[in-house]
Every structure is written in structure tokens, then in C-alpha cells.
Amino acid sequence: MKTRILFIVVCLYMGAHCVANAQYDPQKKDLYKSDTIYMENYAYVCDTLHGWVNVHNMTNSVDKGFVCYADSGKIPDGDLFDFGAPEYVKVPLEQQRNMVSIVDNAFTIEQANLVGEEEFFVILYISTTTGEITDVYFEYDTDSGFTSIPVNVYRTIELQLKEQIVFELTEEGRKMNYCYLAWTQC
């Protein structure tokens, strides 16, 4: 019981901290930076806020909102951190290995040495009708070596993931407005 109460208190504190940081503070305007990097036939947005960098294709849908039931707009019941929550997509071990390999192979040996054992997040939005990846996002710490990686590396990862990976949706996954999958990789 004490553990559950402590968990709730910690979650409330973290939630309040996130809400406080999400509010616009004119004194912290220098902490937010957004750049658009234009390349031949594509562009990427690079947003920096509170020590984190988010890199994504300019064509991504950044306003999808919460994952919810497509027919009602209702957010699924249950604990977001409950590992017993229903799965929306199936990711067999071989597919997981392929996804990790796509990311690993996009970096040159020099780039891999530059980032070393640092981690970054790969975030996928998945179509609930086709199982195809619609959007790919990358997030990493502003102090990491990933800030020196050229945008074409992220572009290569995005294109290869979209070309090579299609997810099998579960019955529950087909009911959602979109599916979400993320992992940390170093």
C-alpha cells in the first residue's frame, strides 16, 4: 500500500513538473529553438527545448493528439505504464532486430564512435489501416554526440524503416486513430 501511495505521489509530482515546464515563460524563451533544415527534395525540423532535441520530417503530422478510438475519440482505459495493457501492433523478434539494424547501419563508423554508448529515441507513428509507418521522430539530449549527426542520416533511417517495416496490427490496434511505437537505441 505504501509503495502504491509513493508511486502516486511521484507521478503527481512529475505531472505537475511537466505541466509547469510546458507553460510558456518569456524569461525562458532562449531555451526553445526551432530550425528547419532544407535539403534537396525534403526538409527536417529540429526543435530544441529543455535539453532535448526532436528531429522529424517537415511532412510529419505533429498534431495527431492522443491515441484514441477512431470511432468515438475516447482514450483507452487503463494505466499507460501497465505492461499488461493491450498490444496494438505485433513486433516479432526478427522485426525488432531488423529495425535496430536499420538504425545501426545508417551511421558510419566515425559517427558511431562520435556518439559512443549514448542513447536516442526512435518514435514511430503507424497507420491503423495498413500497418505502415507514417511518421518517424528522433529525440536525444542536447549534450549528446547526436547533435553532430547530419540530417541525411536521420532521413536514411526514416526511409528505410518506411520501406522495409510493416506492422501486423492487433484487433485492438485497428480500432485506434493511430498506433505508436518507440524504443531507445545506442
Side-chain angles (χ1 to χ4, degrees):
M1 182 66 169
K2 289 180 183 180
T3 305
R4 185 173 276 194
I5 291 172
L6 178 62
F7 178 73
I8 291 170
V9 169
V10 169
C11 286
L12 288 173
Y13 172 77
M14 289 172 49
H17 179 71
C18 288
V19 168
N21 284 335
Q23 303 301 315
Y24 177 72
D25 183 351
Q27 295 175 343
K28 295 182 180 180
K29 68 179 174 30
D30 294 335
L31 295 177
Y32 176 74
K33 181 179 174 189
S34 184
D35 291 316
T36 303
I37 303 163
Y38 294 94
M39 305 298 282
E40 189 173 325
N41 300 323
Y42 66 93
Y44 273 69
V45 177
C46 180
D47 293 327
T48 306
L49 179 64
H50 295 293
W52 284 94
V53 178
N54 178 292
V55 177
H56 62 273
N57 192 318
M58 190 174 189
T59 62
N60 282 5
S61 304
V62 294
D63 59 351
K64 288 187 186 251
F66 290 111
V67 173
C68 63
Y69 288 101
D71 62 348
S72 68
K74 182 180 175 194
I75 296 175
D77 291 332
D79 185 351
L80 292 174
F81 302 104
D82 180 9
F83 293 106
E87 291 183 345
Y88 299 124
V89 295
K90 294 181 181 180
V91 190
L93 186 57
E94 190 57 37
Q95 192 173 31
Q96 292 175 36
R97 288 182 180 139
N98 191 16
M99 291 161 44
V100 168
S101 178
I102 288 169
V103 174
D104 282 345
N105 292 334
F107 294 91
T108 65
I109 292 171
E110 294 81 19
Q111 292 166 341
N113 289 335
L114 177 68
V115 297
E117 294 296 316
E118 296 173 348
E119 297 178 335
F120 76 117
F121 295 95
V122 180
I123 303 146
L124 309 177
Y125 285 7
I126 302 161
S127 166
T128 57
T129 55
T130 64
E132 294 174 344
I133 298 168
T134 60
D135 301 325
V136 180
Y137 296 86
F138 305 94
E139 289 186 2
Y140 48 83
D141 191 297
T142 54
D143 295 330
S144 75
F146 289 104
T147 58
S148 300
I149 302 300
V151 72
N152 67 317
V153 173
Y154 299 110
R155 174 73 171 174
T156 298
I157 295 169
E158 176 185 6
L159 292 178
Q160 288 186 2
L161 286 170
K162 286 180 173 181
E163 290 169 3
Q164 297 178 31
I165 304 294
V166 176
F167 293 97
E168 181 182 343
L169 299 161
T170 64
E171 185 177 326
E172 193 71 12
R174 286 193 231 37
K175 297 177 185 176
M176 311 318 286
N177 59 338
Y178 70 95
C179 294
Y180 172 95
L181 181 70
W183 75 92
T184 304
Q185 187 159 335
C186 59

